[in-house]
Amino acid sequence: MNISVNVEQNTFHLYNNEISYIMTVLPNGQMGQLYFGRRVHDREDYSYLLEMRSRPMSSCVFDTDKSFSMEHIRQEYAVFGTTDYRIPAMEILQKNGSRISEFLFHDYRIENGKPKLPGLPATYTEDENEAQTLIVGLEDPLTQIRLELFYTIFEKGGVIARSARFINNGVEDVHLTTAMSLCMDLPDSDYDWIQFSGAWARERYPKARHLEQGIQSVGSMRGHSSHNHNPFVILKRPTADEFQGEAIGFSLIYSGNFLAQAEVDAYDTTRVLMGIHPAGFDWKLSAGTSFQTPEAVMVYTDQGLNCLSQTFHRLYQKRLARGYWRDRERPILINNWEATYFDFNEEKLLQIAGKAKDCGVELFVLDDGWFGKRNSEHAGLGDWFANPDKLPEGITGLAEKIEKMGMMFGLWFEPEMVNEDSDLYREHPDWILRTPERKASHGRFQYVLDFSRKEVVDRIYEMMAKLLSKAKISYVKWDMNRSITECYSTALPADRQGEVYHRYILGVYDLYERLTNRFPKVLFESCASGGGRFDPGLLYYAPQGWTSDDTDAVERLKIQYGTSYCYPISCMGSHVSVTPNHQLNRCTPLATRANVAYFGTFGYELDLNRLTVEEQEEVKEQIRFMKKYRRLIQFGTFYRLQSPFENNVAGWMVVSKDKKEAIAGRYKILNGANQPFERMYLQGLDADIQYRINEKDIRYGDELMNCGLITTDASAGESAPGEKMSYDFESKLYMIKAEE
Ligand code: DGJ
């Protein structure tokens, strides 16, 4: 890995074994983009990559030159209004009403490792040799605002992490109305755009279309990254697929309003922008202050989407997630939500916990309903103390009993919310986000606390910290069940209201940071009505997240498959629940529910007492299995093999680092009669190793990858006498072990 600087040409080349990123100072002093892609040789001069020609209707920068127009030049962090007409990376509203800026190259510095982003989650290094960071300093001579562009190249993988920092060294206050994390101009538009979209209970479905002239974008203005769109997009060549070809992934490490956009101009160049959504964003950058954007991560590969995902998995698992649990196998948990909803008391909980312990579960999680007057959605949020009617010995007493049983105890919170019917709201009705003299809309009968205010965050911190220090709590599920409306903070002046959405998220990060620092061994799981805030920002604090409220195994195939494009298996909360399933009323076999949930953190969302004795035995076996294989599953290399979005089957697998062990999961959606023969082509094995499959057949790695694993079941042709028929939602795991 290296950052090479040609001072005469003012050119910067960041490269490692896989990628090159090249940029230059343009003749007008602004920064131009030359190349991002597969590694190329380092050389003195790349100026030939800067193509310029005069074009009709261009507006030009230099008096005697018709060829230099920013409209036709690929840039690093574009502005609008000085000959470029595309959507810009930044906009600064100045005192005289002008929104024109001109940031000229001023200086650069290179740091080993990677500087922290104050108050924001970001990728990090553990030792200085893992990455290098180039910081390009630009200045606008008129406003005297300094802009620092951060580029980190990691030693391994095709990764570039980017962010921008604005420093107002001038004398006048200005308003930052757009400040994207990343602006990437690509030389052509022959890409398929893939976004990860959906809604509650069907999050992160990949949706693809070819880029065309004009703008394609996704984003969120809900105050959280949202179920509807994820802050992650891929541009892939039309011929690229899971196993080969060129693709670039763009991921934003942020949990609030975001925009991810690709603009194809009239000449088929593509500008990708990613960052805080500019709509409603207005940050007053007073003289003498600075503003740091969130970080965006770009990953390039020419080896297909599985490789792209694996690069994100490694980076996010090892250098974004942090703390005690980062590298640890995740405890197998039982959560009482779908078992009881709000209707429980201590006795009922202990019964659920007792049976779970019997079956081998390691962590009991008490979900919503344990606090204040929380017997329904209408009351209690904000009052983080136990309801004595349900829990006479409080959380401390219950936690102790669970610990005595030999399990860890976990607790649900929804720290950012308050119900009108709560002591906290009665005491501080002014603490919610609400526009003066306008109606405050509710979501699930609750209001959003103004986390842009330190005193609000302090108060919630005190309540949570008190419980976490008094009771034996090993796990926290941090939920968030509504989007923001009427966003306004009474603590901020009129000209700072455009800061509230971002300050809110900074408040969330601050609370997470304080709690995770003070209670470093507590495992945090993020949640927002399932997957409404399943983003890299929260991974920095909570190494796992509740992937979706949809616990149906067939639906989960799609959700987990889509989620895996960016996020590692170790962060996907996935549980076995009852049938008929509570979201879809569908019945799937217990084995299939587990076969899907294994590919995640694994747990149960039901009362095991209500299962038959045979089913309980099956659960015991599932737990034994997961304990044995969770290291391989959660920390192995994950491959998508067959997409549930395209087929009546789904398939995926994990492979150990030394390639001696692998597990493949294959899932049939609907059964059929007289079906074709079927194969699944495995990936990532050692071609020359002989593997034993499910303790029976022996095959070379190259056979399994090239001839394929035969997955034909009894639905093919006519069933043989005595053969067990296949059925809907059937699934099978293939245990693949190298022969000694
Ligand atoms: C939404 C979460 O996703 C569920 O798992 C559960 O915790 C409920 N909230 C509780 O209100």
Side-chain angles (χ1 to χ4, degrees), residues 120-122 223-226 230-231 251-256 316 320-322 415-416 477-480 504-513 516 524-546 567 571:
L120 283 165
H224 55 112
S225 45
S226 91
N230 198 258
S251 165
L252 185 66
I253 305 180
Y254 191 58
S255 312
Y316 284 0
L320 177 62
R322 300 176 296 169
E416 300 149 70
K477 178 173 171 187
W478 178 320
D479 207 345
M480 193 270 188
Y504 175 87
I505 284 295
L506 293 179
V508 171
Y509 291 152
D510 177 36
L511 182 58
Y512 257 118
E513 184 72 18
T516 48
F524 281 77
E525 175 152 349
S526 72
C527 174
S529 281
R533 210 163 53 181
F534 199 100
D535 57 56
L538 289 190
L539 252 187
Y540 188 65
Y541 309 95
Q544 58 191 59
W546 184 223
Y567 304 97
C571 80

Side-chain angles (χ1 to χ4, degrees), residues 118-375:
L120 283 165
T123 55
Y124 59 88
T125 51
E126 283 198 333
D127 107 42
E128 287 208 329
N129 303 320
E130 286 177 7
Q132 269 192 317
T133 302
L134 167 70
I135 299 138
V136 178
L138 305 152
E139 293 192 1
D140 181 354
L142 193 65
T143 57
Q144 289 174 31
I145 295 170
R146 179 178 164 82
L147 168 62
E148 293 189 338
L149 301 178
F150 289 72
Y151 300 85
T152 298
I153 180 157
F154 286 81
E155 192 199 357
K156 293 202 184 106
V159 183
I160 300 275
R162 291 187 55 179
S163 73
R165 184 178 296 166
F166 292 85
I167 305 157
N168 188 351
N169 292 326
V171 288
E172 281 178 2
D173 299 346
V174 295
H175 284 261
L176 202 49
T177 52
T178 300
M180 302 309 277
S181 300
L182 166 154
C183 171
M184 180 73 218
D185 286 351
L186 297 162
D188 68 81
S189 65
D190 192 18
Y191 289 103
D192 290 340
W193 155 280
I194 310 177
Q195 64 192 52
F196 296 84
S197 301
W200 175 83
R202 49 180 172 85
E203 297 91 342
R204 292 172 296 285
Y205 285 14
K207 301 195 173 181
R209 74 204 62 143
H210 195 66
L211 284 183
E212 291 295 345
Q213 184 174 349
I215 290 176
Q216 172 67 58
S217 74
V218 290
S220 168
M221 288 168 64
R222 309 181 70 97
H224 55 112
S225 45
S226 91
H227 304 85
N228 307 17
H229 299 294
N230 198 258
F232 176 60
V233 293
I234 296 174
L235 291 184
K236 78 162 188 70
R237 295 298 189 188
T239 51
D241 58 28
E242 288 285 11
F243 311 110
Q244 59 75 39
E246 223 184 4
I248 310 176
F250 299 89
S251 165
L252 185 66
I253 305 180
Y254 191 58
S255 312
N257 289 348
F258 77 93
L259 177 70
Q261 176 170 301
E263 177 176 2
V264 177
D265 70 9
Y267 306 96
D268 286 344
T269 65
T270 303
R271 169 168 298 168
V272 179
L273 292 173
M274 190 172 232
I276 296 177
H277 205 306
F281 174 77
D282 180 346
W283 191 274
K284 184 172 176 185
L285 192 66
S286 309
T289 64
S290 64
F291 179 83
Q292 170 68 52
T293 72
E295 176 167 293
V297 173
M298 302 190 293
V299 170
Y300 169 87
T301 184
D302 58 1
Q303 289 165 51
L305 298 181
N306 268 312
C307 176
L308 184 90
S309 300
Q310 287 157 9
T311 306
F312 274 109
H313 294 175
R314 272 191 301 272
L315 182 72
Y316 284 0
Q317 189 171 56
K318 295 287 182 198
R319 293 295 178 264
L320 177 62
R322 300 176 296 169
Y324 181 81
W325 285 100
R326 186 188 74 179
D327 303 327
R328 286 189 157 73
E329 296 166 18
R330 301 302 156 71
I332 295 169
L333 67 79
I334 188 146
N335 178 302
N336 74 308
W337 180 241
E338 288 198 11
T340 65
Y341 296 104
F342 294 111
D343 179 21
F344 61 82
N345 54 27
E346 192 184 83
E347 199 192 329
K348 213 175 193 181
L349 296 177
L350 290 174
Q351 268 170 16
I352 295 175
K355 181 50 77 182
K357 170 64 194 163
D358 252 19
C359 294
V361 170
E362 299 159 307
L363 164 67
F364 174 83
V365 178
L366 173 53
D367 210 278
D368 195 354
W370 57 267
F371 48 90
K373 286 201 225 124
R374 185 76 167 169
N375 295 314

Side-chain angles (χ1 to χ4, degrees), residues 40-54:
V40 294
H41 282 97
D42 189 37
R43 54 183 278 150
E44 290 291 290
D45 185 4
Y46 296 100
S47 54
Y48 73 94
L49 287 170
L50 187 68
E51 284 185 281
M52 286 187 293
R53 271 178 105 85
S54 91

Side-chain angles (χ1 to χ4, degrees), residues 45 106 110 113 221 223 235 432 455 477 487 515 552 598 634 727:
D45 185 4
H106 187 269
I110 293 171
M221 288 168 64
L235 291 184
I432 63 167
E455 67 272 31
K477 178 173 171 187
C487 185
L515 289 169
D552 171 75
Y598 290 142
Q634 291 168 353
Y727 42 88

